[in-house]
Amino acid sequence: MSGSTHGTLFRVTTFGESHGVGLGVTIDGCPAGLLLDVEAIEREMERRRPGQSRIVTQRKEADGIQLLSGTFEGKTTGTPIGMVIFNQDQRSKDYGHIFDKYRPSHADYTFTAKYGHRDYRGGGRSSARETAARVAAGAVARQLLAHFGVSIHSYVDQVGDIATGKNHDELDLSLIDSNDVRCPDPEIAARMEAEIMAVKKAGDTIGGVVKCVVKGVPAGWGEPVFDKLHADLGKAILSINACKGFEYGSGFDGVTLRGSAHNDAFYTDDTGRTRTRTNRSGGIQGGISNGEDIYFRAAFKPVATIIADQESVNEAGEAVTVVGKGRHDPCVLPRAVPIVDAMVALVLADHCLRARGDRL
């Protein structure tokens, strides 16, 4: 299977399936000398793991990592970093009833069309469980970025039609992990949680929006043509399961403005740094960071697995009924937050290293 490697200089390859022995990741290109905080990696894994609250899937996985290589005396050695996460709470029998059936809006049919064979146990490689390996790698990338003063803040901005309605600079981003929804507006978070619980009780699912803000990226990261910084961010975010949309800066709202209103005027601040008075560009111009905050929004669809019976067909093309079973998220948003953080970190770590070789 191709397509399991991400990055140019900071290269990450993940492996494993939802109901296999485990999942893992190798990181090639992490510079030597980074003091690696394993507990920080474990904290990110804790944020993503299933069973962490009543509004997510109740599959019980500790998602503890085993660091296999690439460090010595607590520091990275410059050689490949290997990590593995063993599965502990698979219930493959929950999927026996769909071994030859195509679940609506899942990858069952497309995997069969591509490979002629599929792992029906939780979707195999197409399962969102694969993202555990990404989060482990992203936690390493975040530590590399912290060395350069870069911080990443993703949060749930909307669930269904319940939204914060605020810009990120109007919110206290330190409150992101203060509630199970991971929304930094406590009042809105309570409404979101009630909505998720109501949807869960009804046997249905609901989608929403994750917003991400990145602070501290200097001007000059990114490439001007195919590897534009926003293009790489878009590809990375859209590679996350259930993600259906990506917009950065003013996004689709920007089409209602004239150029004279949309342009970000430059000025020089008191420190001599070139700044923009507004930031409709989302911190990126010409595919290259301009030193302002980078921000974007990502839309996530309702989880495709629902409890209600659904019409479908099987591998023989016969009409069948798909019965919803198993343990699934009623809303993917709370657990998507650390995955978004991870993918942003992987993109930025790669472009950070690339930028260091751009000129003498």
Side-chain angles (χ1 to χ4, degrees):
M1 171 185 277
S2 60
S4 292
T5 298
H6 176 278
T8 301
L9 295 183
F10 193 95
R11 290 178 61 83
V12 168
T13 300
T14 71
F15 61 88
E17 294 83 33
S18 176
H19 285 245
V21 174
L23 306 107
V25 60
T26 59
I27 304 171
D28 200 3
C30 184
L34 176 66
L35 187 62
L36 196 62
D37 185 345
V38 177
E39 290 184 359
I41 301 174
E42 292 173 342
R43 285 195 296 272
E44 288 304 302
M45 299 301 295
E46 175 71 15
R47 297 177 76 219
R48 195 222 71 97
R49 74 169 178 85
Q52 62 185 268
S53 75
R54 63 178 186 160
I55 60 173
V56 302
T57 173
Q58 294 305 293
R59 177 171 174 171
K60 301 296 183 183
E61 294 283 2
D63 277 356
I65 63 161
Q66 289 191 21
L67 185 60
L68 305 178
S69 63
T71 65
F72 179 66
E73 296 181 337
K75 294 182 179 180
T76 56
T77 60
T79 58
I81 298 170
M83 292 181 283
V84 65
I85 307 113
F86 290 105
N87 292 326
Q88 298 175 332
D89 189 28
Q90 314 99 306
R91 292 185 187 173
S92 300
K93 63 179 181 359
D94 287 349
Y95 298 90
H97 67 293
I98 53 96
F99 77 96
D100 66 340
K101 298 176 182 177
Y102 299 139
R103 294 170 296 172
S105 289
H106 283 75
D108 300 338
Y109 170 69
T110 52
F111 258 59
T112 303
K114 180 175 178 63
Y115 299 107
H117 182 61
R118 67 182 173 92
D119 183 349
Y120 61 83
R121 305 167 303 167
R125 188 73 176 145
S126 68
S127 169
R129 179 136 184 80
E130 178 270 336
T131 60
R134 305 191 196 195
V135 171
V140 176
R142 290 186 78 166
Q143 293 182 50
L144 175 63
L145 292 169
H147 177 77
F148 296 98
V150 176
S151 60
I152 302 168
H153 313 270
S154 300
Y155 62 90
V156 175
D157 189 49
Q158 182 173 342
V159 171
D161 59 4
I162 302 171
T164 66
K166 299 176 181 177
N167 292 325
H168 56 268
D169 53 9
E170 300 176 84
L171 296 167
D172 182 354
L173 300 182
S174 70
L175 298 178
I176 290 173
D177 284 309
S178 66
N179 55 73
D180 291 338
V181 183
R182 294 203 168 95
C183 173
D185 185 321
E187 181 180 346
I188 297 299
R191 292 175 54 196
M192 289 175 172
E193 181 170 350
E195 180 70 4
I196 294 171
M197 289 304 298
V199 167
K200 179 181 179 181
K201 185 176 181 179
D204 216 332
T205 61
I206 192 169
V209 175
V210 170
K211 185 168 184 178
C212 180
V213 185
V214 185
K215 297 179 177 294
V217 174
W221 291 10
E223 303 295 335
V225 186
F226 296 115
D227 293 348
K228 289 179 169 65
L229 186 56
H230 59 272
D232 280 358
L233 285 169
K235 180 180 179 181
I237 299 305
L238 288 167
S239 76
I240 300 173
N241 309 63
C243 186
K244 288 294 186 180
F246 173 89
E247 65 172 7
Y248 79 102
S250 62
F252 290 98
D253 289 341
V255 304
T256 64
L257 301 176
R258 301 289 178 89
S260 55
H262 190 271
N263 287 347
D264 295 318
F266 289 105
Y267 74 101
T268 303
D269 68 14
D270 294 338
T271 68
R273 175 185 163 194
T274 300
R275 303 287 306 277
T276 60
R277 297 193 182 279
T278 54
N279 190 17
R280 298 184 184 92
S281 298
I284 304 170
Q285 294 170 326
I288 303 169
S289 62
N290 66 5
E292 302 296 332
D293 289 352
I294 294 172
Y295 66 93
F296 64 83
R297 300 174 80 240
F300 286 83
K301 70 172 184 176
V303 176
T305 300
I306 60 176
I307 299 302
D309 293 352
Q310 300 179 84
E311 295 181 358
S312 188
V313 298
N314 60 19
E315 293 178 358
E318 302 165 331
V320 296
T321 298
V322 175
V323 179
K325 292 182 180 180
R327 301 159 294 176
H328 306 282
D329 292 281
C331 178
V332 74
L333 274 296
R335 295 177 63 218
V337 165
I339 303 169
V340 171
D341 283 343
M343 293 310 300
V344 172
L346 294 178
V347 171
L348 293 179
D350 192 42
H351 277 283
C352 170
L353 297 181
R354 293 169 72 170
R356 293 170 68 81
D358 282 340
R359 59 179 175 176
L360 294 175

